[in-house]
Amino acid sequence: MSTVFIVGAAGKVGRHLVKQLADKQHRVLALHRRAEQGPELEALGATPVTGDLTGTDVAALAAQMAGTDVVVFTAGAGGAGVEVTNAIDGRGLELAVDAARQAGVRRFLLVSAFPEAGRNKGMGEGFENYMTVKKRADVYLAATDLDWVILRPGTLSHAPGTGRVSAGPAIAYGDIPRADVAATLVALVEHPEVRRTIIELTEGDRPVEDAVAQLART
């Protein structure tokens, strides 16, 4: 079993991921910012780790990541504005990547954004900044020597997970339940041979495990 350090564990995808990893007997270290989130994450099966991406540094975060097999970055500003987006989705990702490298963690999974998200919908300047920041984050991670995977889910939904997805380097845009994004991340944790690749993800017809196993063979 792997030790997985989740940045953004208290988020909507993060909570699904904590529970699914713990249910499969992985050890989960869950980074969270607010005190009340600790007991909630512990109840889901994680070991809570207190930290704030906007108030820490590389050395401190690397110390918290020590002994980890995989870092999953699923933190996000959640529409809180341009400055918060820049701080979390941008500088926060760079901080986490640098910390993982300093801690000797080889594998890094990043939840990014589908390129077609919000296109032609007049989402506004804040959303355009969000997409720009997400792309820069992808570029930053991809330029490292880590065993990275960039996962680009379609529009996230609250619908119950189906356990079935469409996944590949370039697929048609669509929706995806958050639970199925988490399930795909679990499968990627368990398939370390899938590395240094970008995966687009939507709801589909193929079981998650089969979809990721197929990516491992390509």
Side-chain angles (χ1 to χ4, degrees):
M1 296 297 102
S2 297
T3 298
V4 184
F5 189 99
I6 304 176
V7 182
K12 294 174 182 176
V13 171
R15 289 173 184 262
H16 282 292
L17 180 58
V18 167
K19 187 175 188 310
Q20 291 183 30
L21 284 169
D23 285 349
K24 298 191 77 173
Q25 305 304 309
H26 294 286
R27 179 173 179 243
V28 183
L29 303 178
L31 188 70
H32 65 94
R33 182 168 56 90
R34 298 198 301 271
E36 67 271 17
Q37 294 168 335
E40 297 168 358
L41 292 166
E42 189 170 19
L44 293 172
T47 298
V49 178
T50 304
D52 185 345
L53 286 177
T54 65
T56 190
D57 58 28
V58 170
L61 187 56
Q64 292 176 312
M65 290 178 176
T68 297
D69 299 304
V70 187
V71 170
V72 180
F73 189 98
T74 185
V82 168
E83 288 305 315
V84 180
T85 296
N86 294 345
I88 301 299
D89 301 81
R91 293 189 298 273
L93 177 278
E94 294 177 7
L95 175 72
V97 168
D98 293 348
R101 297 184 72 216
Q102 184 167 309
V105 182
R106 290 297 311 159
R107 189 154 174 78
F108 197 109
L109 309 181
L110 170 62
V111 179
S112 186
F114 208 105
E116 284 78 19
R119 300 300 87 184
N120 302 317
K121 294 182 181 179
M123 300 292 284
E125 182 179 350
F127 186 78
E128 291 301 324
N129 176 73
Y130 167 79
M131 294 301 291
T132 298
V133 169
K134 295 302 268 189
K135 181 57 183 292
R136 288 175 180 164
D138 292 355
V139 171
Y140 191 88
L141 176 58
T144 71
D145 59 353
L146 296 174
D147 290 337
W148 54 266
V149 177
I150 296 169
L151 186 66
R152 293 176 172 172
T155 298
L156 300 174
S157 77
H158 292 294
T162 66
R164 294 179 175 271
V165 298
S166 176
I171 62 173
Y173 182 56
D175 298 341
I176 179 78
R178 288 175 171 84
D180 288 335
V181 176
T184 303
L185 290 166
V186 173
L188 288 169
V189 167
E190 296 179 342
H191 284 276
E193 66 273 26
V194 181
R195 56 186 291 273
R196 302 186 69 80
T197 189
I198 297 173
I199 302 168
E200 296 181 352
L201 183 74
T202 65
E203 58 190 5
D205 298 324
R206 175 167 279 191
V208 168
E209 176 63 27
D210 291 354
V212 174
Q214 176 62 37
L215 291 168
R217 293 191 289 269
T218 58

PDB file of all heavy atoms in Angstrom, residues 157-191:
ATOM      1  N   SER A 157     -19.291  17.435 -11.434  1.00  0.00           N
ATOM      2  CA  SER A 157     -20.692  17.395 -11.014  1.00  0.00           C
ATOM      3  C   SER A 157     -20.809  16.736  -9.645  1.00  0.00           C
ATOM      4  O   SER A 157     -19.920  16.016  -9.190  1.00  0.00           O
ATOM      5  CB  SER A 157     -21.539  16.639 -12.032  1.00  0.00           C
ATOM      6  OG  SER A 157     -21.368  15.244 -11.903  1.00  0.00           O
ATOM      7  N   HIS A 158     -21.952  17.015  -8.979  1.00  0.00           N
ATOM      8  CA  HIS A 158     -22.247  16.390  -7.690  1.00  0.00           C
ATOM      9  C   HIS A 158     -22.956  15.045  -7.856  1.00  0.00           C
ATOM     10  O   HIS A 158     -23.329  14.422  -6.867  1.00  0.00           O
ATOM     11  CB  HIS A 158     -23.133  17.314  -6.856  1.00  0.00           C
ATOM     12  CG  HIS A 158     -22.442  18.565  -6.409  1.00  0.00           C
ATOM     13  ND1 HIS A 158     -21.390  18.561  -5.525  1.00  0.00           N
ATOM     14  CD2 HIS A 158     -22.657  19.862  -6.747  1.00  0.00           C
ATOM     15  CE1 HIS A 158     -20.979  19.809  -5.317  1.00  0.00           C
ATOM     16  NE2 HIS A 158     -21.736  20.613  -6.047  1.00  0.00           N
ATOM     17  N   ALA A 159     -23.158  14.609  -9.097  1.00  0.00           N
ATOM     18  CA  ALA A 159     -23.867  13.355  -9.340  1.00  0.00           C
ATOM     19  C   ALA A 159     -23.116  12.196  -8.688  1.00  0.00           C
ATOM     20  O   ALA A 159     -21.889  12.238  -8.556  1.00  0.00           O
ATOM     21  CB  ALA A 159     -24.001  13.106 -10.839  1.00  0.00           C
ATOM     22  N   PRO A 160     -23.829  11.163  -8.279  1.00  0.00           N
ATOM     23  CA  PRO A 160     -23.147   9.986  -7.717  1.00  0.00           C
ATOM     24  C   PRO A 160     -22.184   9.384  -8.742  1.00  0.00           C
ATOM     25  O   PRO A 160     -22.458   9.382  -9.944  1.00  0.00           O
ATOM     26  CB  PRO A 160     -24.299   9.022  -7.417  1.00  0.00           C
ATOM     27  CG  PRO A 160     -25.509   9.889  -7.311  1.00  0.00           C
ATOM     28  CD  PRO A 160     -25.291  11.011  -8.272  1.00  0.00           C
ATOM     29  N   GLY A 161     -21.069   8.895  -8.261  1.00  0.00           N
ATOM     30  CA  GLY A 161     -20.124   8.255  -9.165  1.00  0.00           C
ATOM     31  C   GLY A 161     -20.698   6.986  -9.768  1.00  0.00           C
ATOM     32  O   GLY A 161     -21.442   6.257  -9.107  1.00  0.00           O
ATOM     33  N   THR A 162     -20.344   6.720 -11.012  1.00  0.00           N
ATOM     34  CA  THR A 162     -20.791   5.508 -11.696  1.00  0.00           C
ATOM     35  C   THR A 162     -19.687   4.467 -11.775  1.00  0.00           C
ATOM     36  O   THR A 162     -19.952   3.300 -12.058  1.00  0.00           O
ATOM     37  CB  THR A 162     -21.254   5.823 -13.125  1.00  0.00           C
ATOM     38  OG1 THR A 162     -20.129   6.255 -13.901  1.00  0.00           O
ATOM     39  CG2 THR A 162     -22.325   6.910 -13.124  1.00  0.00           C
ATOM     40  N   GLY A 163     -18.434   4.912 -11.540  1.00  0.00           N
ATOM     41  CA  GLY A 163     -17.300   4.003 -11.702  1.00  0.00           C
ATOM     42  C   GLY A 163     -16.923   3.764 -13.143  1.00  0.00           C
ATOM     43  O   GLY A 163     -16.061   2.930 -13.424  1.00  0.00           O
ATOM     44  N   ARG A 164     -17.512   4.535 -14.047  1.00  0.00           N
ATOM     45  CA  ARG A 164     -17.236   4.378 -15.479  1.00  0.00           C
ATOM     46  C   ARG A 164     -16.844   5.728 -16.071  1.00  0.00           C
ATOM     47  O   ARG A 164     -17.500   6.736 -15.806  1.00  0.00           O
ATOM     48  CB  ARG A 164     -18.448   3.798 -16.219  1.00  0.00           C
ATOM     49  CG  ARG A 164     -18.746   2.360 -15.792  1.00  0.00           C
ATOM     50  CD  ARG A 164     -19.945   1.778 -16.501  1.00  0.00           C
ATOM     51  NE  ARG A 164     -20.118   0.382 -16.147  1.00  0.00           N
ATOM     52  CZ  ARG A 164     -19.546  -0.638 -16.792  1.00  0.00           C
ATOM     53  NH1 ARG A 164     -18.786  -0.389 -17.856  1.00  0.00           N
ATOM     54  NH2 ARG A 164     -19.724  -1.883 -16.403  1.00  0.00           N
ATOM     55  N   VAL A 165     -15.795   5.721 -16.875  1.00  0.00           N
ATOM     56  CA  VAL A 165     -15.232   6.965 -17.388  1.00  0.00           C
ATOM     57  C   VAL A 165     -14.795   6.809 -18.833  1.00  0.00           C
ATOM     58  O   VAL A 165     -14.737   5.700 -19.377  1.00  0.00           O
ATOM     59  CB  VAL A 165     -14.005   7.405 -16.553  1.00  0.00           C
ATOM     60  CG1 VAL A 165     -14.406   7.668 -15.104  1.00  0.00           C
ATOM     61  CG2 VAL A 165     -12.877   6.381 -16.632  1.00  0.00           C
ATOM     62  N   SER A 166     -14.473   7.937 -19.424  1.00  0.00           N
ATOM     63  CA  SER A 166     -13.728   7.994 -20.676  1.00  0.00           C
ATOM     64  C   SER A 166     -12.435   8.719 -20.364  1.00  0.00           C
ATOM     65  O   SER A 166     -12.456   9.788 -19.739  1.00  0.00           O
ATOM     66  CB  SER A 166     -14.522   8.747 -21.749  1.00  0.00           C
ATOM     67  OG  SER A 166     -13.755   8.892 -22.942  1.00  0.00           O
ATOM     68  N   ALA A 167     -11.309   8.154 -20.749  1.00  0.00           N
ATOM     69  CA  ALA A 167     -10.013   8.727 -20.394  1.00  0.00           C
ATOM     70  C   ALA A 167      -9.040   8.558 -21.548  1.00  0.00           C
ATOM     71  O   ALA A 167      -8.989   7.503 -22.185  1.00  0.00           O
ATOM     72  CB  ALA A 167      -9.445   8.053 -19.139  1.00  0.00           C
ATOM     73  N   GLY A 168      -8.266   9.596 -21.808  1.00  0.00           N
ATOM     74  CA  GLY A 168      -7.282   9.516 -22.870  1.00  0.00           C
ATOM     75  C   GLY A 168      -6.563  10.836 -23.044  1.00  0.00           C
ATOM     76  O   GLY A 168      -6.914  11.839 -22.405  1.00  0.00           O
ATOM     77  N   PRO A 169      -5.565  10.886 -23.914  1.00  0.00           N
ATOM     78  CA  PRO A 169      -4.802  12.116 -24.107  1.00  0.00           C
ATOM     79  C   PRO A 169      -5.608  13.236 -24.755  1.00  0.00           C
ATOM     80  O   PRO A 169      -5.300  14.414 -24.556  1.00  0.00           O
ATOM     81  CB  PRO A 169      -3.636  11.676 -25.000  1.00  0.00           C
ATOM     82  CG  PRO A 169      -4.121  10.430 -25.668  1.00  0.00           C
ATOM     83  CD  PRO A 169      -5.026   9.768 -24.700  1.00  0.00           C
ATOM     84  N   ALA A 170      -6.650  12.880 -25.518  1.00  0.00           N
ATOM     85  CA  ALA A 170      -7.506  13.887 -26.157  1.00  0.00           C
ATOM     86  C   ALA A 170      -8.867  13.248 -26.401  1.00  0.00           C
ATOM     87  O   ALA A 170      -8.996  12.351 -27.232  1.00  0.00           O
ATOM     88  CB  ALA A 170      -6.889  14.369 -27.467  1.00  0.00           C
ATOM     89  N   ILE A 171      -9.874  13.705 -25.648  1.00  0.00           N
ATOM     90  CA  ILE A 171     -11.217  13.148 -25.782  1.00  0.00           C
ATOM     91  C   ILE A 171     -12.227  14.279 -25.877  1.00  0.00           C
ATOM     92  O   ILE A 171     -11.913  15.444 -25.609  1.00  0.00           O
ATOM     93  CB  ILE A 171     -11.574  12.217 -24.597  1.00  0.00           C
ATOM     94  CG1 ILE A 171     -11.575  12.998 -23.285  1.00  0.00           C
ATOM     95  CG2 ILE A 171     -10.608  11.042 -24.529  1.00  0.00           C
ATOM     96  CD1 ILE A 171     -12.079  12.189 -22.099  1.00  0.00           C
ATOM     97  N   ALA A 172     -13.465  13.936 -26.236  1.00  0.00           N
ATOM     98  CA  ALA A 172     -14.525  14.937 -26.327  1.00  0.00           C
ATOM     99  C   ALA A 172     -14.869  15.457 -24.935  1.00  0.00           C
ATOM    100  O   ALA A 172     -14.830  14.723 -23.944  1.00  0.00           O
ATOM    101  CB  ALA A 172     -15.761  14.331 -26.989  1.00  0.00           C
ATOM    102  N   TYR A 173     -15.202  16.736 -24.865  1.00  0.00           N
ATOM    103  CA  TYR A 173     -15.512  17.388 -23.600  1.00  0.00           C
ATOM    104  C   TYR A 173     -16.819  16.866 -23.028  1.00  0.00           C
ATOM    105  O   TYR A 173     -17.731  16.499 -23.766  1.00  0.00           O
ATOM    106  CB  TYR A 173     -15.597  18.899 -23.835  1.00  0.00           C
ATOM    107  CG  TYR A 173     -15.862  19.706 -22.594  1.00  0.00           C
ATOM    108  CD1 TYR A 173     -15.030  19.618 -21.492  1.00  0.00           C
ATOM    109  CD2 TYR A 173     -16.946  20.583 -22.543  1.00  0.00           C
ATOM    110  CE1 TYR A 173     -15.254  20.371 -20.365  1.00  0.00           C
ATOM    111  CE2 TYR A 173     -17.181  21.351 -21.421  1.00  0.00           C
ATOM    112  CZ  TYR A 173     -16.329  21.241 -20.321  1.00  0.00           C
ATOM    113  OH  TYR A 173     -16.573  21.989 -19.204  1.00  0.00           O
ATOM    114  N   GLY A 174     -16.899  16.829 -21.690  1.00  0.00           N
ATOM    115  CA  GLY A 174     -18.117  16.384 -21.033  1.00  0.00           C
ATOM    116  C   GLY A 174     -18.033  16.573 -19.535  1.00  0.00           C
ATOM    117  O   GLY A 174     -17.084  17.168 -19.018  1.00  0.00           O
ATOM    118  N   ASP A 175     -19.028  16.080 -18.828  1.00  0.00           N
ATOM    119  CA  ASP A 175     -19.079  16.175 -17.370  1.00  0.00           C
ATOM    120  C   ASP A 175     -18.428  14.951 -16.735  1.00  0.00           C
ATOM    121  O   ASP A 175     -18.191  13.938 -17.391  1.00  0.00           O
ATOM    122  CB  ASP A 175     -20.531  16.273 -16.896  1.00  0.00           C
ATOM    123  CG  ASP A 175     -21.238  17.515 -17.402  1.00  0.00           C
ATOM    124  OD1 ASP A 175     -20.546  18.472 -17.812  1.00  0.00           O
ATOM    125  OD2 ASP A 175     -22.490  17.539 -17.391  1.00  0.00           O
ATOM    126  N   ILE A 176     -18.181  15.048 -15.428  1.00  0.00           N
ATOM    127  CA  ILE A 176     -17.616  13.930 -14.675  1.00  0.00           C
ATOM    128  C   ILE A 176     -17.967  14.097 -13.194  1.00  0.00           C
ATOM    129  O   ILE A 176     -17.708  15.157 -12.617  1.00  0.00           O
ATOM    130  CB  ILE A 176     -16.074  13.833 -14.876  1.00  0.00           C
ATOM    131  CG1 ILE A 176     -15.474  12.672 -14.076  1.00  0.00           C
ATOM    132  CG2 ILE A 176     -15.383  15.127 -14.543  1.00  0.00           C
ATOM    133  CD1 ILE A 176     -15.686  11.329 -14.688  1.00  0.00           C
ATOM    134  N   PRO A 177     -18.566  13.102 -12.558  1.00  0.00           N
ATOM    135  CA  PRO A 177     -18.805  13.199 -11.113  1.00  0.00           C
ATOM    136  C   PRO A 177     -17.485  13.266 -10.345  1.00  0.00           C
ATOM    137  O   PRO A 177     -16.504  12.601 -10.687  1.00  0.00           O
ATOM    138  CB  PRO A 177     -19.566  11.905 -10.791  1.00  0.00           C
ATOM    139  CG  PRO A 177     -20.175  11.475 -12.084  1.00  0.00           C
ATOM    140  CD  PRO A 177     -19.163  11.873 -13.127  1.00  0.00           C
ATOM    141  N   ARG A 178     -17.476  14.059  -9.282  1.00  0.00           N
ATOM    142  CA  ARG A 178     -16.262  14.199  -8.478  1.00  0.00           C
ATOM    143  C   ARG A 178     -15.790  12.848  -7.926  1.00  0.00           C
ATOM    144  O   ARG A 178     -14.591  12.596  -7.823  1.00  0.00           O
ATOM    145  CB  ARG A 178     -16.508  15.186  -7.337  1.00  0.00           C
ATOM    146  CG  ARG A 178     -16.608  16.635  -7.800  1.00  0.00           C
ATOM    147  CD  ARG A 178     -16.980  17.562  -6.656  1.00  0.00           C
ATOM    148  NE  ARG A 178     -16.878  18.965  -7.024  1.00  0.00           N
ATOM    149  CZ  ARG A 178     -17.835  19.644  -7.648  1.00  0.00           C
ATOM    150  NH1 ARG A 178     -18.984  19.032  -7.957  1.00  0.00           N
ATOM    151  NH2 ARG A 178     -17.670  20.923  -7.952  1.00  0.00           N
ATOM    152  N   ALA A 179     -16.728  11.992  -7.567  1.00  0.00           N
ATOM    153  CA  ALA A 179     -16.353  10.685  -7.033  1.00  0.00           C
ATOM    154  C   ALA A 179     -15.568   9.869  -8.052  1.00  0.00           C
ATOM    155  O   ALA A 179     -14.669   9.096  -7.691  1.00  0.00           O
ATOM    156  CB  ALA A 179     -17.590   9.924  -6.583  1.00  0.00           C
ATOM    157  N   ASP A 180     -15.884  10.045  -9.331  1.00  0.00           N
ATOM    158  CA  ASP A 180     -15.174   9.296 -10.365  1.00  0.00           C
ATOM    159  C   ASP A 180     -13.809   9.907 -10.671  1.00  0.00           C
ATOM    160  O   ASP A 180     -12.890   9.192 -11.097  1.00  0.00           O
ATOM    161  CB  ASP A 180     -16.021   9.212 -11.633  1.00  0.00           C
ATOM    162  CG  ASP A 180     -17.212   8.277 -11.474  1.00  0.00           C
ATOM    163  OD1 ASP A 180     -17.136   7.373 -10.620  1.00  0.00           O
ATOM    164  OD2 ASP A 180     -18.218   8.453 -12.184  1.00  0.00           O
ATOM    165  N   VAL A 181     -13.668  11.218 -10.460  1.00  0.00           N
ATOM    166  CA  VAL A 181     -12.326  11.814 -10.530  1.00  0.00           C
ATOM    167  C   VAL A 181     -11.450  11.203  -9.438  1.00  0.00           C
ATOM    168  O   VAL A 181     -10.310  10.804  -9.681  1.00  0.00           O
ATOM    169  CB  VAL A 181     -12.394  13.346 -10.371  1.00  0.00           C
ATOM    170  CG1 VAL A 181     -10.982  13.938 -10.354  1.00  0.00           C
ATOM    171  CG2 VAL A 181     -13.212  13.973 -11.496  1.00  0.00           C
ATOM    172  N   ALA A 182     -12.001  11.115  -8.230  1.00  0.00           N
ATOM    173  CA  ALA A 182     -11.260  10.510  -7.121  1.00  0.00           C
ATOM    174  C   ALA A 182     -10.903   9.060  -7.419  1.00  0.00           C
ATOM    175  O   ALA A 182      -9.778   8.619  -7.153  1.00  0.00           O
ATOM    176  CB  ALA A 182     -12.071  10.608  -5.835  1.00  0.00           C
ATOM    177  N   ALA A 183     -11.842   8.309  -7.953  1.00  0.00           N
ATOM    178  CA  ALA A 183     -11.582   6.905  -8.269  1.00  0.00           C
ATOM    179  C   ALA A 183     -10.460   6.770  -9.298  1.00  0.00           C
ATOM    180  O   ALA A 183      -9.636   5.846  -9.226  1.00  0.00           O
ATOM    181  CB  ALA A 183     -12.857   6.242  -8.779  1.00  0.00           C
ATOM    182  N   THR A 184     -10.414   7.684 -10.247  1.00  0.00           N
ATOM    183  CA  THR A 184      -9.346   7.662 -11.242  1.00  0.00           C
ATOM    184  C   THR A 184      -8.004   7.968 -10.600  1.00  0.00           C
ATOM    185  O   THR A 184      -6.977   7.345 -10.919  1.00  0.00           O
ATOM    186  CB  THR A 184      -9.644   8.659 -12.367  1.00  0.00           C
ATOM    187  OG1 THR A 184     -10.928   8.355 -12.953  1.00  0.00           O
ATOM    188  CG2 THR A 184      -8.587   8.607 -13.456  1.00  0.00           C
ATOM    189  N   LEU A 185      -7.985   8.905  -9.663  1.00  0.00           N
ATOM    190  CA  LEU A 185      -6.746   9.201  -8.940  1.00  0.00           C
ATOM    191  C   LEU A 185      -6.273   7.995  -8.132  1.00  0.00           C
ATOM    192  O   LEU A 185      -5.073   7.697  -8.090  1.00  0.00           O
ATOM    193  CB  LEU A 185      -6.960  10.405  -8.026  1.00  0.00           C
ATOM    194  CG  LEU A 185      -7.123  11.755  -8.732  1.00  0.00           C
ATOM    195  CD1 LEU A 185      -7.656  12.800  -7.754  1.00  0.00           C
ATOM    196  CD2 LEU A 185      -5.805  12.216  -9.346  1.00  0.00           C
ATOM    197  N   VAL A 186      -7.206   7.287  -7.502  1.00  0.00           N
ATOM    198  CA  VAL A 186      -6.836   6.075  -6.771  1.00  0.00           C
ATOM    199  C   VAL A 186      -6.189   5.067  -7.722  1.00  0.00           C
ATOM    200  O   VAL A 186      -5.151   4.465  -7.412  1.00  0.00           O
ATOM    201  CB  VAL A 186      -8.066   5.454  -6.082  1.00  0.00           C
ATOM    202  CG1 VAL A 186      -7.707   4.092  -5.473  1.00  0.00           C
ATOM    203  CG2 VAL A 186      -8.613   6.377  -5.000  1.00  0.00           C
ATOM    204  N   ALA A 187      -6.804   4.879  -8.888  1.00  0.00           N
ATOM    205  CA  ALA A 187      -6.249   3.939  -9.864  1.00  0.00           C
ATOM    206  C   ALA A 187      -4.865   4.377 -10.336  1.00  0.00           C
ATOM    207  O   ALA A 187      -3.978   3.541 -10.552  1.00  0.00           O
ATOM    208  CB  ALA A 187      -7.199   3.789 -11.052  1.00  0.00           C
ATOM    209  N   LEU A 188      -4.655   5.687 -10.475  1.00  0.00           N
ATOM    210  CA  LEU A 188      -3.335   6.177 -10.874  1.00  0.00           C
ATOM    211  C   LEU A 188      -2.307   5.958  -9.776  1.00  0.00           C
ATOM    212  O   LEU A 188      -1.139   5.665 -10.056  1.00  0.00           O
ATOM    213  CB  LEU A 188      -3.426   7.660 -11.245  1.00  0.00           C
ATOM    214  CG  LEU A 188      -4.136   7.959 -12.568  1.00  0.00           C
ATOM    215  CD1 LEU A 188      -4.410   9.450 -12.697  1.00  0.00           C
ATOM    216  CD2 LEU A 188      -3.314   7.455 -13.756  1.00  0.00           C
ATOM    217  N   VAL A 189      -2.708   6.093  -8.519  1.00  0.00           N
ATOM    218  CA  VAL A 189      -1.814   5.765  -7.413  1.00  0.00           C
ATOM    219  C   VAL A 189      -1.383   4.305  -7.517  1.00  0.00           C
ATOM    220  O   VAL A 189      -0.214   3.961  -7.279  1.00  0.00           O
ATOM    221  CB  VAL A 189      -2.507   6.030  -6.058  1.00  0.00           C
ATOM    222  CG1 VAL A 189      -1.724   5.392  -4.906  1.00  0.00           C
ATOM    223  CG2 VAL A 189      -2.671   7.528  -5.822  1.00  0.00           C
ATOM    224  N   GLU A 190      -2.315   3.453  -7.898  1.00  0.00           N
ATOM    225  CA  GLU A 190      -2.051   2.015  -7.943  1.00  0.00           C
ATOM    226  C   GLU A 190      -1.430   1.554  -9.260  1.00  0.00           C
ATOM    227  O   GLU A 190      -1.103   0.371  -9.398  1.00  0.00           O
ATOM    228  CB  GLU A 190      -3.348   1.268  -7.660  1.00  0.00           C
ATOM    229  CG  GLU A 190      -3.872   1.542  -6.245  1.00  0.00           C
ATOM    230  CD  GLU A 190      -5.170   0.853  -5.915  1.00  0.00           C
ATOM    231  OE1 GLU A 190      -5.877   0.426  -6.858  1.00  0.00           O
ATOM    232  OE2 GLU A 190      -5.483   0.735  -4.709  1.00  0.00           O
ATOM    233  N   HIS A 191      -1.274   2.467 -10.205  1.00  0.00           N
ATOM    234  CA  HIS A 191      -0.621   2.149 -11.487  1.00  0.00           C
ATOM    235  C   HIS A 191       0.522   3.130 -11.724  1.00  0.00           C
ATOM    236  O   HIS A 191       0.439   4.010 -12.589  1.00  0.00           O
ATOM    237  CB  HIS A 191      -1.625   2.198 -12.638  1.00  0.00           C
ATOM    238  CG  HIS A 191      -2.530   1.019 -12.715  1.00  0.00           C
ATOM    239  ND1 HIS A 191      -2.175  -0.156 -13.343  1.00  0.00           N
ATOM    240  CD2 HIS A 191      -3.777   0.831 -12.224  1.00  0.00           C
ATOM    241  CE1 HIS A 191      -3.179  -1.026 -13.247  1.00  0.00           C
ATOM    242  NE2 HIS A 191      -4.155  -0.451 -12.573  1.00  0.00           N
TER     243      HIS A 191
END
